[in-house]
Amino acid sequence: MTRKKVIFIAFAIEDERSRDFLKGQSLNTNSPFEYIDMSVKEAYVSEWKDKVRERIKRSDGVIVLVSKNSLNSSGQKWEIQCAREEGKRVLGIYAYKDDRTNIVGVNIKVWTWENIRVFIDSL
C-alpha cells in the first residue's frame, strides 16, 4: 500500500467550510484519493509564518482553494508564496461552482475527485 501524501490546504478564512468539505471528501469510502491534512485550522497568534512554513515544508504538495475571498486574503497569498519558495507543487481548486476567480501563477482546476486524485498521485 502506498503511503498517504501530506497536503497543505491554503484557503481564505471565509472559505473554511469548503476546506472542511475537501477534507470530508477524502474520508469518503468511495473517494479515489486520501491524504493527511496539514492546513491551519486556526490562525496562530504569534510566529504563525514560521509554523505554517514548517507545515508546508513537511507537505508533499499544496492545494489552494480559490474564491473571490482569495483576492483579499493576505494569509493565503503568503502561504502560496511560501509554497513556491519551498519548491512545493501547487494546485488551485475552485472553491465554488459559480466563482471563477483567478490567481496569477496558480494552475486552477474545477473541483472534481479526478482532478484532486491526479494531483495527489503525481506528488
Side-chain angles (χ1 to χ4, degrees), residues 92-106:
I93 295 291
Y94 289 118
Y96 307 102
K97 218 181 255 193
D98 58 348
D99 183 343
R100 293 298 182 256
T101 300
N102 285 310
I103 299 175
V104 176
V106 175

Side-chain angles (χ1 to χ4, degrees), residues 58-117:
R58 293 191 337 242
S59 299
D60 295 303
V62 175
I63 293 178
V64 178
L65 290 178
V66 179
S67 77
K68 64 182 181 196
N69 299 315
S70 300
L71 300 176
N72 296 317
S73 176
S74 59
Q76 185 181 33
K77 288 176 186 177
W78 185 87
E79 291 167 346
I80 295 166
Q81 175 189 335
C82 179
R84 289 182 180 137
E85 290 170 2
E86 296 300 331
K88 299 300 177 177
R89 298 221 11 241
V90 175
L91 172 67
I93 295 291
Y94 289 118
Y96 307 102
K97 218 181 255 193
D98 58 348
D99 183 343
R100 293 298 182 256
T101 300
N102 285 310
I103 299 175
V104 176
V106 175
N107 179 24
I108 307 170
K109 305 243 180 203
V110 174
W111 184 332
T112 66
W113 282 9
E114 183 64 9
N115 286 338
I116 295 167
R117 182 197 64 76

Side-chain angles (χ1 to χ4, degrees), residues 2-48:
T2 61
R3 80 171 175 87
K4 287 184 189 178
K5 300 295 172 74
V6 177
I7 303 295
F8 184 90
I9 302 171
F11 62 98
I13 195 64
E14 297 86 355
D15 300 323
E16 183 176 22
R17 218 170 145 168
S18 291
R19 190 280 320 270
D20 294 345
F21 286 140
L22 179 60
K23 178 60 183 167
Q25 257 189 341
S26 75
L27 301 174
N28 184 312
T29 56
N30 295 324
S31 176
F33 58 88
E34 197 174 26
Y35 64 90
I36 298 169
D37 178 16
M38 290 295 287
S39 63
V40 178
K41 279 74 171 174
E42 296 177 23
Y44 294 118
V45 176
S46 63
E47 302 170 349
W48 75 271

